[in-house]
Amino acid sequence: MSTETIFSKIIRKEIPSDMLYQDDLVTAFRDINPQAPVHVLVVPNKLIPTMNDADADDEALLGRMMTVAKKIAADEGIAETGYRLLLNCGPDGHQEVMHIHLHLLGGRDLGRMVGRPG
Ligand code: AMP
């Protein structure tokens, strides 16, 4: 059985967040510890703990996460300057919250794709 995280409470609006978007499939809110001028998390309303738990039935939901991230990038004014979409999985990916989330990062030069350990 999957264990809920703080993201489920944010989705249900039981705790506050800086929410930018919500529909029947996904919710987007600003990261509480932003790593770039724009740092938004796009999460499925349904709890999927890690990318390893996603299956073919989730394809519409996973696609919605991408198109909503694109819309928010435009709304935030970073569509032309560019951005990065990132989804961490497991220990090597340093996933901290076990409810999948797509990071939308932008508003500055983000450097090369993969950092060093630590
Ligand atoms: P990850 O390492 O991919 O699991 O990233 C988890 C992200 O969730 C981090 O960037 C955290 O800053 C962010 N986060 C944790 N709790 C909250 C919260 N209550 N509201 C917004 N973002 C959060």
Side-chain angles (χ1 to χ4, degrees):
M1 200 181 100
S2 302
T3 304
E4 280 194 355
T5 74
I6 195 164
F7 288 179
S8 290
K9 290 187 169 64
I10 289 174
I11 291 161
R12 293 195 298 262
K13 300 179 180 168
E14 291 170 4
I15 62 168
S17 73
D18 192 350
M19 192 178 290
L20 302 176
Y21 180 90
Q22 187 167 54
D23 65 21
D24 57 325
L25 292 180
V26 306
T27 299
F29 50 91
R30 291 191 198 280
D31 196 291
I32 203 166
N33 183 23
Q35 303 299 307
V38 175
H39 189 174
V40 175
L41 303 177
V42 184
V43 310
N45 296 339
K46 164 190 167 184
L47 172 54
I48 301 173
T50 83
M51 199 56 213
N52 292 331
D53 302 303
D55 59 31
D57 289 345
D58 298 316
E59 284 172 3
L61 182 158
L62 295 167
R64 184 74 64 85
M65 288 167 69
M66 300 290 279
T67 55
V68 166
K70 182 199 107 167
K71 172 191 159 27
I72 293 172
D75 291 348
E76 294 287 309
I78 58 170
E80 300 308 322
T81 49
Y83 51 89
R84 181 168 293 154
L85 299 178
L86 180 76
L87 196 155
N88 293 322
C89 181
D92 281 356
H94 286 247
Q95 182 179 0
E96 292 173 2
V97 179
M98 296 300 144
H99 182 141
I100 63 168
H101 45 282
L102 189 62
H103 294 258
L104 164 63
L105 295 147
R108 66 168 171 81
D109 184 337
L110 297 165
R112 292 192 180 273
M113 190 164 65
V114 179
R116 297 184 185 282

